[in-house]
Each structure stands twice: as C-alpha cells, then as structure tokens.
Amino acid sequence: MKLELPRQTERFGSVQINDIQRVLLLDSAGDDDRGQTGVSSVPRKSIHEIESKMAIVIPVKDEKINVLEGVLGAIPSECLVIVVSNSSREPVDMFRTELDMVEQHVHFTKREVWIVHQTDPGIGKALKNTHYKEILDAEGSVRDGKGEGMVIGMLLAKAAGKEYVAFVDADNYFPGAVHEYVSVYAAAFHLARSPYAMVRISWASKPKIQDGSLYFSKWGRISAVNNMYLNKLISSHTGFDTEIVKTANSGDHAMTMKLAEMLDFRQAFGIETYEIIDILEKFGGVLKPTNSKPMADGVEIFQMETLDPHFHEDKGEEHLGQMLADSLLAIMGSPLCTETLQKEVEAELPEEFEKREKSIGSFIRVNTEAFLQRIIKSGSIFMFG
Ligand code: GDP
Ligand code: CO
C-alpha cells in the first residue's frame, strides 16, 4: 500500500495527531519506505503480518443481516472477528439470525469468529466477578450502548492475545470499503513508531441522494460540529487555531492493545470522541500524567483517508441528535474544557436528547482470561472456527 505523508502534525504534550493521509495505492508488494521519498510504502507482507495479530470487533444492533454478512466476508481470514451484538431477542430473535448466519459463514470459510450478546446474563456475571462493574445496570446486566459493546469486544480481543484491536460498523454497505479499512489499520500500525497508536478512518466521501441524483458529500454535519469543538479544545491550550482533528466520530478505528488498556471509555455514542479527549487528558501534559511509559514513547493518532466512499445505513435525525449530544457532553465534561468553551458547546446541544455521559472506565484491571473462561463455561460465547 502507498500512502501520502501527513502534511502536518499537531503536538500536544506527548500526543502526536497526524493530519489526513490519503491512500494513493491500495495494494503493492513494494518496498518498505517510511517516507524517505515523500510517500509511505507498506509491503503487502507487512500488512498481512499485522492482520494476524489483530482482532476486528463488530458492534451490531438490529442491522440488516445481509449487510453484516458482507462485512464478515470483507475481513481477511488472518484476523479474529468478534461480533458483539445488542440486537433484539423478541418478537423476532435477531440475535439467533445473526448466530445462524455466522455459523454458516464459518462452515464455508473455515475462519475464526466469536459472537456474544452483550446483555447475556453470563456476561454480566463474569464482569461482576472480574471486578468490572462500570458497564453493568442495577440488575447486573451490561447496559445498552455501543461503547459498552466495544469494551466487551476489547476484553475478548485481549483474552485472545491480540496486539491490535479494531472496529468496523456492521452497517457498512460496501464490503470492499471494509476490506480497505482493515488494510489501512495494519498499514498505519506498521508506520507507527510508538507502541501506543490509534488509527481513525476518514472517508473520501459519503454518497447521498440529493435532488434525484448521487451526491458525494465530504463532511457529515455532526462530525463537522464535533471536529470543530475538539479542535477548539486543543487550541484553547496551545494558543493556536487548528483544524487537525477530522475524525472525531469515526466508528471505524483501531488501537494497539497497549493503548486501549490505558484508556477510559464512555457510554454509548460518546466513545469515539472521548477516546481522543482521554488521550489528550492522560498524555497531553496539561493534567498530571497517569502513566510515564506513553509519556516517554509518545502516543500517535493517524487519520487515514480511504479510496472507497463510506456508505452506511441512514438512521435518521433523532439518532444524529443523540450522537451529537453524547459527543458534545464528552467534550464539555473534560477538565481540559475551559469555561468559555463549555458555554459555547452547551449552546450547541440538540433540543431533545437523553442525557447520558457516564464513564465506563478502563478494563486494564480485568483478568481477561478468567473472564473468557467464565463466559465459555456459562455458554455465553459462541466460538466458531
Ligand atoms: P453511526 O454510523 O455512527 O451513525 O452509528 P450507528 O447507529 O450506525 O452505530 C454504529 C455501529 O454500532 C452499528 O454497527 C450499530 O449496529 C452498532 N450499535 C449501535 N448501538 C449498539 C449497542 O447498543 N450495542 C452494540 N453492541 N452495538 C451497537
Ligand atoms: Co452507521
């Protein structure tokens, strides 16, 4: 794969945020060139090596089953796939449908897929026993929420001994795009100099139907607002205006396990924005650092622009409003957010939203092997392949 070098890099303490890097050439055997000649070139072989150390977590809630099947088919067989579902069990058991589809997929493809339902009582119990209660409700089940599902996926990825954990949304209509995301994650990890790295996908365009014809829009409304406030949060400390953050809401993203373990997460749809905030809080040098190792090694955030357009399910205005609210609340709640900025962000909150801004903490203290053993025993995980 050949990639543009980032035109600009913003530094915030030990955190390095790279500007967008476009994919120039999707696939090449190529030389290993980290930018000496003006482009980065990552050999196909290195991409495959990293993929074999990567788990791909697919959070899913009531998506179209054939879209999910396409996503599975797009993920290289080297990767362990972990489906974390919060789909409805009644009146139609959507989870059962997913399970059947996965079983059939694995029967034909002979690859490895794990699947769990996030509200399964066995999962809640295992988390309670391994002392990770932040994602449980009063009855001891894991709460609804995408963030909650993602954390379960990360625990399982760690239990599987993976070095990298990546996410792809289940509502990606084009399998080719998903395949590209995974290659791009691996390429970025190959380029990373620090063991603490994150890759976030920025799409070249999002196709929409407008006035009866196709229109390829560049920025979604919600991400434009969130990117702006995240950038303001950075500027308010550096004293320089910046537009460096372009992927505040990127659901398709990946981390080294070493970085994932250091982070605190957030409920529902605030999680992607909060990951960046948490990195800035922990390693940005403004607040007291929580861990000296990433301070010395640095934390790298890559933002990669794919060749494929991003085409996913349109979930409507209400969903977008809630997503905006979750993200804005994450920004407002940060100790890095100045009073002036807090007021500005508050004015931006949608009229109606459910106020949920719970931190769901970090999973570093969980003995992931014990967690996995427990849920195998309770029959809460289905491991195919
Ligand atoms: P958007 O693409 O960011 O607008 O958000 P989506 O609604 O498409 O959600 C992103 C992904 O998370 C999709 O694959 C959803 O099916 C999935 N998702 C949404 N809510 C939940 C949840 O509560 N639990 C899990 N496990 N997945 C969820
Ligand atoms: Co979506």
Side-chain angles (χ1 to χ4, degrees), residues 8 15 20 45 47 93 96 150 197 203-204 247 267 321 324 358 361 364 372-373 376:
Q8 201 200 337
V15 185
I20 299 284
K45 189 165 72 56
I47 290 183
D93 192 346
R96 175 49 62 186
M150 285 169 56
W203 37 84
T247 55
Q267 211 183 0
L324 178 65
K358 272 208 179 89
I364 183 86
L372 180 60
Q373 287 313 317
I376 291 175

Side-chain angles (χ1 to χ4, degrees), residues 13 90 92 109 140 160 179 198 236 252 254 259 261 264 309 311 325 329 368:
E90 50 179 25
V92 180
T109 58
H179 186 259
M198 174 180 274
S236 68
D252 301 299
L259 176 61
E261 286 177 337
D264 282 274
F311 193 52
L329 289 167
T368 52

Side-chain angles (χ1 to χ4, degrees), residues 84 116-137 140-143 148-149 151-156 360 362-363 365-368 370-372 374-375 378 380:
V84 184
V116 296
H117 195 281
Q118 86 184 54
T119 65
D120 186 289
I123 305 261
K125 245 189 227 141
L127 288 170
K128 191 169 166 228
N129 283 318
T130 44
H131 313 290
Y132 187 52
K133 297 187 194 151
E134 288 91 331
I135 57 177
L136 304 179
D137 63 18
S141 299
V142 173
R143 280 192 306 260
E148 284 79 348
V151 170
I152 294 172
M154 287 188 259
L155 288 169
L156 293 174
I360 51 176
S362 105
F363 63 81
R365 65 189 180 283
V366 178
N367 178 338
T368 52
F371 169 69
L372 180 60
R374 275 179 193 278
I375 64 173
S378 63
S380 310

Side-chain angles (χ1 to χ4, degrees), residues 266 274 277 281 328-337 342 357:
R266 214 171 169 89
Y274 187 68
I277 296 172
E281 286 180 12
L328 292 179
L329 289 167
I331 297 175
M332 277 170 63
S334 171
L336 291 177
C337 189
Q342 258 176 14
E357 45 181 315

